[in-house]
Amino acid sequence: MIDNKITIKGDTVVDIQRGAIGHRATWTGLTYTKGCEAGMAEEMEKVIRQAISETGNTQGNEIREKCPDAEDVSVFADTFLSPTLQKTFEITFKTKNKDRVDLEFHHCPLLKAWQDLGFDDAACEKLCDMAMDGDRGIANAMGYEFHLGDTIAKGCKTCEVSFYKKEK
C-alpha cells in the first residue's frame, strides 16, 4: 500500500510548486491512461518516455550551464535542488560529496496527483518509473550515472535516488 505522506505543510511557495508539479503529472497520467484505454499502452509508454527523457536532457543541459563545477556532484546537487524543491519533495541527503549524491524523497507531488485521480498502485508505479526518465536524462546530460532504488510508488517508505560519477 502506498503511503505518500506530507509533513511540510503551509509553505505557500512549496504548495504552489507542488500544485504545478501535480498539474504536470495529471496531464501525463491522463494521457497515458487514455492511450491505454484506446489499446495503445505500449505506444503511449514509448512516446511519453521519449518526451520525458528529452525534457530531462534539456533540463540537465540547463543545469550544466548554471553549475559552477559540473565535475563536483555536490555542486550539481546544490544547483539542481533548490531549497524550495528540497521542501517540495521533502528530500534528505544520505550522501553528498564530489563523487556522489544519495537522496531520499519522503513525498512525491506527482504520485499524489495520480492517487488523487484514483489510479491504482500498478498504474502509479508505472507512471513513477516513466517520470524518472526525466532524472535519468538529467544525469545523462551531466555525464553522471543514475540509480533509482526504492520508491514510494512501490509501497516503500521513501524514494531512493542517486547521481554519481561514471566509472573511468
Side-chain angles (χ1 to χ4, degrees):
M1 172 136 205
I2 295 174
D3 181 17
N4 188 26
K5 64 188 174 298
I6 295 174
T7 59
I8 297 173
K9 300 175 183 177
D11 183 312
T12 303
V13 176
V14 168
D15 291 344
I16 290 168
Q17 185 155 354
R18 283 180 175 154
I21 291 168
H23 189 71
R24 180 182 74 201
T26 297
W27 280 1
T28 305
L30 291 174
T31 300
Y32 176 67
T33 58
K34 294 303 175 189
C36 291
E37 290 169 10
M40 301 184 310
E42 288 182 26
E43 296 92 336
M44 290 307 300
E45 181 177 348
K46 180 180 178 185
V47 168
I48 290 170
R49 282 186 181 277
Q50 288 172 340
I52 292 172
S53 181
E54 187 172 328
T55 300
N57 275 297
T58 299
Q59 185 181 8
N61 286 329
E62 291 169 359
I63 294 166
R64 188 173 189 71
E65 287 178 20
K66 293 177 188 172
C67 192
D69 182 1
E71 296 301 313
D72 186 325
V73 184
S74 70
V75 174
F76 153 76
D78 291 340
T79 306
F80 173 37
L81 302 168
S82 70
T84 299
L85 192 63
Q86 290 177 44
K87 285 191 223 174
T88 299
F89 285 89
E90 303 194 16
I91 297 171
T92 55
F93 288 88
K94 300 314 258 180
T95 306
K96 184 179 177 191
N97 61 47
K98 66 182 181 63
D99 296 321
R100 117 177 259 122
V101 173
D102 298 307
L103 308 160
E104 283 188 351
F105 290 58
H106 297 267
H107 172 71
C108 180
L110 292 97
L111 178 57
K112 181 176 183 329
W114 301 323
Q115 291 176 301
D116 288 350
L117 289 167
F119 294 168
D120 65 23
D121 289 0
C124 288
E125 186 176 345
K126 172 70 82 175
L127 287 162
C128 168
D129 191 63
M130 291 164 57
M132 296 310 298
D133 284 352
D135 294 277
R136 292 178 185 106
I138 290 169
N140 180 63
M142 293 299 300
Y144 302 151
E145 295 289 338
F146 175 85
H147 176 75
L148 178 63
D150 289 345
T151 66
I152 299 167
K154 289 181 185 174
C156 300
K157 186 177 177 180
T158 62
C159 295
E160 299 172 340
V161 174
S162 299
F163 293 89
Y164 52 97
K165 288 184 179 178
K166 291 183 177 182
E167 297 284 327
K168 295 192 181 201

